[in-house]
Amino acid sequence: MKRGLMMLLLLLGSMTAWGETWDFTAWETLPVFYQGRVMPLDAFARLEVLQVCGRENPRVEGRKYRPAEILFSWMVEPAKWENVPFLPLENEALRKQMGLPVFDAGGRRLAKVSPDDAVKFFTSETYAHFADTMEKARQTTGDYPAEYREQVEAVKQLESQLLTFRALTFDPRTAGGNRTAYLERFTSVMQLWSMQLAPKVTRIPLVDAAEVESLSQGVREIGQWMWENEKSPEKVTLSLLEERTYRLADAAAVLSEQVAHYAARLANTSRPERITEEEWQHLQNQTRVLSLQMKKLSLGTKELVEAIYQDGATLYVLPSLEAAPLDAWRDESVETHPWRSLNQLVYGRADAGFPAGVQPLLERSRQAFEKMSRSWKEDNAAGFTVASQTLKTTFGEIAKKTASRRETLLPEERRDAEILNATAYPTLAVQQRLDAEVFYYRLSPFLWAWVLPFVATVFLLFAGLFPQSLVTLRKVLEAVGLLLLSGGILFNTAGLLLRAWIMGRAPVTNMFETIVFVSWTAGVMGLWLALRSVLHAPLSYGWRATRIGSASGPADDVDTQTISWCLLPARMLLAGAVFWVLTLAGFGLGEGYSVLSLTPRVAVGGVWPSLSDWTVWLSGIFVLGILVVIVPRVLLAPVAALCVLPKLPRRTGGDSQRVWFALATAIVVFVISYTAWACTSMFNANLRNLMPILRDNYWLSVHVITIVASYGAGMLAWILADFSLLVSLFGRYPIVEGRPSPPAICRTLSELIYRCMQVAVLLLVVGTILGGLWADVSWGRFWSWDRKEVWALISLFVYLLILHGRYVRLLGEFTLSVGAICGALTILMAWYGVNYVIGSSLHGYGAGTGSLAGFLGISGIHLLLTTFAVTRYVWETRRQSVRT
């Protein structure tokens, strides 16, 4: 059912987005292994095409390409693209240096070059002279000359794009001398064998001298072949290179087994009398080290086999039957890939490292890919569709036939279960997630999450500015604006839910996800504030009805006490469920652990709890008490509201200020969502695996979501405060009861700011305590005064100070707005500044390249706004006081 629905969504997305007859569904959803996880080929293509073209869906010569489509075209007809300008290059000075025009015949600026243009430049004397000059300047002054920095960056970017394109279009049959990966690995193998191992191995008994000579001869032959190949790459034959490399790998494997057998035999043999104990221990140690080095050499030759078929970025489409990547005792310096590349399966030896039973399937996959290539070149869409479906199905059958054998490659004690599961071919459930990932990229939810609020901002602005006499038009514009704002929030919700389903975790693990989650939180809260005149009354009665022993309602004659007693059993059950989840249920890896302990924990070997143990326990009990009381009421309040809704008096008229609250919400949602969407290079929107400490889904959910939700409340208070200051700066100051007063809307805004800050403080307190509990579980201490923790505490104290000042009436409506901005800036520092400006040692999971100038710029703008607003406020109130 789910799979059918997902395929329908993919089909609809394909039809609406492209409206063409070519069906890339099977090709786009083909599982590939990249960046440590199984992903659909569409996701791989997006990453690589973005790297090459600067856009995921590039437009080349007037045609817009899908990522998987242009990748396939690059792979099967690379020569066609050599003279097509698709590599982005806008730097005018570099274009002139390359001898390329800056403008076309129509006067439009040119911004792309072809791979051939780039190759000619990088092989020219002009580039050699430029590179030499820049390098000398860098060595002399420590940096490139200021006037050439942009040009140097453009050269580096163009080189990276060209190399990525060459890696993606690598054809092992015709690659010639362009075998960088093979050359690097062969150099390592040659040095390890010739300079370190060969002299030692020849002196070991039980080692076949013929195998030693075979390995040495193989190294010499490949070395000679590589040297000759540099001169005459047109003489390359794939079969010859395969023959020599596989022979070298076989000889290395045999020698590795022989040396390992000798080392094991020595370890189980008694010491001869003619050798001292010290000499015997030294001999055993040396032989053991030699055995490990020979194993490393053998793995290096297997890497060399892989390098025949790839030269950088490539498609890995099937799990291999190599034991090394799955070995819990593996040498991390050797990077034998756990999957087989498409090039090896299509162009390599017939067996491709698989047993004889799957040879017919391998042949079928080769024929299917060949038919895909032929259909593409012949513009045969139907043939391409059938062949791509056959290719995907065949790979699935091969993976299914080899799965059981893959699990028995190593004994259980040496099997890395985590790696084995992470590199397994997708099951039906995992394939549904891959399909969902393709749909996620097609949908582009976070694009619409800022586009719709932006349009809503326009409608709501006009609705607020139109005269009061145009009541109908204002209501229509307001309704459309609210609908568009709700649509943007729904797209944001869809994007977060899709990311959570695809990755199987809470979508708040990096800076991009926290930004969009803050946008979602601010949007939901803002929409509630905008519609509070409609929703406040029923939810208020619903909240009162969930209180035990509540009194009947006022004049509306709603008996909340009856509803309260009816809901009491449900509330008790929910409270019990919350208590069980937090104190008895097991979470985390392994056997699991309870979130909160009912008694203080004591360190192993200790008698009494330490101060840290008491702190963790007391804070946990505090959180437990709050959640047991609050969570059931939050869940049951909407139910109670439905019960009392028919009996509530109907409101007459509308809320004349609602449009301004909705406008403020639309602005904050637009700004935050657009920041996430526009700065993906800084905030990295890619779906990727987590750091080990973030893999605990429970703590990730409860702590990070709570903290980030508090940021959303703070950001909403911020934009409302900005709105209040702007009104104070440009609005009219009426005389109320003989006293000067700021604009009337400021009072309502102050109330909303106060409520948002209350929510922010509550979530900050709970989130900070939960973070301490997570730290105690993960690192063994509740608090470490890390920069992130310190700034979180500063944010909390700033908000508490502001709220306390408001409560005791030291802060008025205007000063509360100023305080909300100060509180939001501390949140911004804790959220962005620590990771991207200062750098956090323990909590830098979203770290990247940031700028202090951006933070100072935002702070400076708000300092100016506050200064002008304060000046106007003081001047107006004093002037009106004098008049009075």
Side-chain angles (χ1 to χ4, degrees):
M1 180 66 178
K2 289 182 179 179
R3 182 173 176 81
L5 177 60
M6 185 53 60
M7 294 306 296
L8 176 60
L9 291 174
L10 284 171
L11 179 60
L12 291 175
S14 175
M15 293 172 59
T16 56
W18 302 96
E20 57 187 24
T21 57
W22 288 88
D23 183 4
F24 284 89
T25 302
W27 175 245
E28 288 176 330
T29 57
L30 184 71
V32 300
F33 193 86
Y34 186 61
Q35 293 185 346
R37 75 178 184 94
V38 180
M39 62 174 63
L41 184 142
D42 179 66
F44 169 85
R46 288 177 184 275
L47 293 173
E48 298 304 316
V49 172
L50 178 64
Q51 171 67 21
V52 174
C53 301
R55 299 185 61 182
E56 293 181 354
N57 303 109
R59 184 175 294 277
V60 182
E61 295 185 338
R63 181 188 170 187
K64 190 174 183 179
Y65 284 87
R66 300 162 70 158
E69 175 190 15
I70 196 171
L71 174 65
F72 184 79
S73 182
W74 287 347
M75 293 172 59
V76 301
E77 47 185 3
K80 171 185 173 181
W81 293 90
E82 283 300 316
N83 294 300
V84 176
F86 63 90
L87 302 177
L89 180 61
E90 299 181 4
N91 188 275
E92 184 175 335
L94 183 56
R95 292 188 70 92
K96 290 180 178 179
Q97 193 173 15
M98 295 173 66
L100 299 174
V102 179
F103 300 95
D104 63 9
R108 294 183 296 270
R109 180 178 291 274
L110 297 173
K112 297 177 183 178
V113 297
S114 68
D116 185 63
D117 293 330
V119 170
K120 288 179 180 178
F121 171 67
F122 287 122
T123 56
S124 66
E125 294 183 1
T126 302
Y127 170 73
H129 176 71
F130 176 79
D132 184 61
T133 304
M134 292 300 103
E135 182 61 23
K136 288 180 179 178
R138 189 188 66 82
Q139 292 179 355
T140 302
T141 63
D143 197 1
Y144 298 109
E147 63 272 22
Y148 288 103
R149 286 174 190 167
E150 290 186 5
Q151 191 172 343
V152 170
E153 290 301 319
V155 169
K156 291 181 179 179
Q157 182 178 356
L158 181 62
E159 182 180 22
S160 174
Q161 291 162 345
L162 179 63
L163 291 176
T164 303
F165 172 71
R166 287 283 183 256
L168 292 170
T169 58
F170 182 83
D171 188 339
R173 301 167 300 177
T174 60
N178 184 26
R179 292 185 178 273
T180 307
Y182 188 91
L183 178 60
E184 290 176 352
R185 286 169 172 77
F186 173 72
T187 302
S188 300
V189 168
M190 180 180 64
Q191 291 175 347
L192 181 60
W193 171 250
S194 302
M195 299 181 182
Q196 299 183 39
L197 300 182
K200 300 176 182 178
V201 171
T202 53
R203 296 196 297 267
I204 293 181
L206 305 181
V207 169
D208 191 344
E211 293 294 341
V212 174
E213 177 56 29
S214 176
L215 183 55
S216 299
Q217 179 65 22
V219 170
R220 289 194 296 269
E221 287 180 350
I222 296 178
Q224 180 68 19
W225 182 87
M226 293 294 292
W227 181 76
E228 293 177 351
N229 181 55
E230 288 293 327
K231 296 182 177 179
S232 305
E234 67 277 0
K235 297 181 180 179
V236 166
T237 59
L238 178 60
S239 58
L240 179 61
L241 182 60
E242 284 181 327
E243 177 188 348
R244 294 180 176 180
T245 307
Y246 274 95
R247 187 164 65 241
L248 180 69
D250 292 341
V254 171
L255 282 179
S256 178
E257 290 180 3
Q258 291 178 353
V259 174
H261 176 68
Y262 178 70
R265 181 175 176 180
L266 238 118
N268 297 321
T269 302
S270 302
R271 176 179 62 85
E273 295 182 358
R274 66 179 183 277
I275 300 179
T276 65
E277 182 65 30
E278 182 178 353
E279 292 175 335
W280 182 245
Q281 290 292 336
H282 179 71
L283 177 61
Q284 288 181 320
N285 291 336
Q286 289 293 99
T287 308
R288 191 181 302 111
V289 170
L290 183 60
S291 174
L292 294 175
Q293 289 179 323
M294 280 302 304
K295 182 179 180 180
K296 183 175 182 179
L297 177 71
S298 178
L299 294 176
T301 58
K302 291 180 179 179
E303 284 187 330
L304 194 62
V305 170
E306 294 178 2
I308 297 175
Y309 310 103
Q310 55 93 14
D311 195 58
T314 191
L315 281 173
Y316 289 96
V317 295
L318 271 179
S320 72
L321 293 180
E322 291 292 340
L326 311 176
D327 194 344
W329 304 349
R330 62 188 175 276
D331 184 350
E332 297 292 347
S333 64
V334 181
E335 300 178 354
T336 308
H337 205 279
W339 279 40
R340 285 278 179 259
S341 68
L342 180 64
N343 279 349
Q344 183 172 0
L345 295 173
V346 173
Y347 305 123
R349 292 204 321 186
D351 59 356
F354 290 100
V358 298
Q359 297 308 312
L361 294 175
L362 287 173
E363 182 59 29
R364 188 200 302 171
S365 66
R366 293 188 181 95
Q367 293 175 359
F369 187 78
E370 182 181 351
K371 184 178 179 181
M372 286 176 64
S373 304
R374 187 169 60 254
S375 299
W376 174 261
K377 295 174 183 177
E378 296 174 355
D379 199 25
N380 180 4
F384 178 88
T385 300
V386 174
S388 61
Q389 292 172 346
T390 302
L391 181 72
K392 181 179 178 180
T393 303
T394 305
F395 281 162
E397 293 177 7
I398 295 174
K400 187 176 181 180
K401 281 183 172 293
T402 57
S404 57
R405 180 169 179 177
R406 190 168 181 265
E407 294 177 355
T408 58
L409 291 172
L410 292 165
E412 186 174 357
E413 65 273 10
R414 293 189 57 178
R415 199 180 306 151
D416 191 324
E418 184 177 353
I419 297 296
L420 186 65
N421 293 332
T423 58
Y425 202 75
T427 60
L428 179 60
V430 177
Q431 183 63 56
Q432 290 177 350
R433 292 185 178 184
L434 300 187
D435 297 342
E437 187 169 353
V438 175
F439 175 69
Y440 164 79
Y441 285 116
R442 296 264 190 92
L443 183 64
S444 298
F446 298 116
L447 167 64
W448 297 107
W450 71 262
V451 170
L452 293 181
F454 173 73
V455 181
T457 301
V458 177
F459 276 87
L460 293 169
L461 182 61
F462 279 110
L465 295 178
F466 276 6
Q468 293 288 343
S469 57
L470 302 175
V471 177
T472 303
L473 181 59
R474 285 170 58 93
K475 286 186 176 181
V476 170
L477 292 175
E478 179 184 337
V480 173
L482 286 170
L483 186 62
L484 290 170
L485 174 59
S486 302
I489 296 173
L490 286 176
F491 270 105
N492 199 331
T493 305
L496 290 170
L497 291 177
L498 281 171
R499 289 179 75 98
W501 182 28
I502 292 166
M503 300 303 297
R505 56 168 171 76
V508 285
T509 60
N510 55 57
M511 194 64 179
F512 173 81
E513 291 179 342
T514 58
I515 291 175
V516 295
F517 190 80
V518 164
S519 174
W520 179 85
T521 306
V524 171
M525 289 186 60
L527 201 57
W528 152 253
L529 293 177
L531 300 175
R532 74 193 188 287
S533 60
V534 178
L535 302 176
H536 176 72
L539 289 180
S540 176
Y541 280 107
W543 180 258
R544 290 181 60 241
T546 58
R547 187 172 56 200
I548 299 177
S550 60
S552 297
D556 49 40
D557 194 28
V558 177
D559 189 0
T560 55
Q561 190 171 20
T562 302
I563 299 175
S564 175
W565 287 110
C566 292
L567 292 177
L568 181 60
R571 183 176 176 185
M572 299 304 294
L573 286 175
L574 288 172
V578 172
F579 183 86
W580 179 83
V581 167
L582 295 179
T583 61
L584 300 177
F587 293 93
L589 305 177
E591 297 180 358
Y593 47 83
S594 62
V595 178
L596 302 173
S597 177
L598 295 176
T599 57
R601 291 171 178 164
V602 181
V604 177
V607 178
W608 296 100
S610 64
L611 179 61
S612 176
D613 295 329
W614 281 110
T615 303
V616 171
W617 178 71
L618 289 174
S619 61
I621 294 299
F622 173 72
V623 171
L624 177 64
I626 292 177
L627 295 180
V628 166
V629 174
I630 296 297
V631 171
R633 295 189 66 185
V634 170
L635 296 177
L636 293 176
V639 178
L642 293 176
C643 297
V644 301
L645 187 60
K647 300 182 180 181
L648 292 179
R650 296 186 179 274
R651 293 178 56 92
T652 58
D655 188 347
S656 60
Q657 297 176 343
R658 178 170 58 205
V659 63
W660 299 110
F661 306 144
L663 176 61
T665 303
I667 291 173
V668 70
V669 172
F670 158 65
V671 170
I672 298 177
S673 298
Y674 180 77
T675 300
W677 181 83
C679 301
T680 52
S681 59
M682 178 186 297
F683 300 134
N684 198 344
N686 298 330
L687 295 163
R688 59 189 188 276
N689 288 337
L690 300 179
M691 295 178 61
I693 198 170
L694 292 179
R695 292 176 187 167
D696 194 313
N697 241 337
Y698 175 78
W699 287 110
L700 181 64
S701 301
V702 298
H703 165 64
V704 182
I705 286 179
T706 305
I707 286 291
V708 175
S710 72
Y711 293 170
M715 294 299 108
L716 184 59
W718 186 5
I719 195 67
L720 291 173
D722 282 342
F723 194 48
S724 178
L725 291 183
L726 287 171
V727 172
S728 300
L729 179 59
F730 297 107
R732 297 177 58 185
Y733 284 70
I735 301 297
V736 179
E737 298 180 356
R739 301 180 60 185
S741 176
I745 194 175
C746 290
R747 178 173 300 176
T748 306
L749 287 171
S750 176
E751 177 189 349
L752 299 181
I753 292 169
Y754 185 61
R755 297 305 178 194
C756 288
M757 293 174 67
Q758 284 180 316
V759 174
V761 166
L762 176 63
L763 293 174
L764 273 175
V765 170
V766 175
T768 302
I769 294 175
L770 289 172
L773 294 172
W774 189 7
D776 182 66
V777 170
S778 301
W779 297 321
R781 88 288 177 279
F782 184 83
W783 195 265
S784 65
W785 297 104
D786 180 72
R787 298 182 185 97
K788 192 81 168 180
E789 297 170 349
V790 170
W791 274 101
L793 196 60
I794 291 173
S795 303
L796 179 58
F797 283 162
V798 168
Y799 273 113
L800 286 173
L801 182 63
I802 297 168
L803 290 181
H804 183 71
R806 174 64 172 173
Y807 182 76
V808 299
R809 301 186 182 281
L810 289 177
L811 299 181
E813 297 169 357
F814 183 84
T815 48
L816 182 67
S817 299
V818 176
I821 292 177
C822 295
L825 289 176
T826 60
I827 278 184
L828 188 62
M829 188 64 192
W831 182 26
Y832 169 84
V834 170
N835 284 347
Y836 286 83
V837 178
I838 299 177
S840 177
S841 57
L842 292 176
H843 299 78
Y845 309 128
T849 303
S851 171
L852 180 61
F855 177 79
L856 294 178
I858 294 174
S859 303
I861 291 173
H862 282 83
L863 177 62
L864 290 175
L865 173 61
T866 304
T867 302
F868 290 142
V870 168
T871 303
R872 170 80 192 284
Y873 177 82
V874 173
W875 182 73
E876 285 288 345
T877 52
R878 286 185 177 181
R879 183 172 67 87
Q880 293 185 16
S881 297
V882 172
R883 285 182 178 179
T884 303

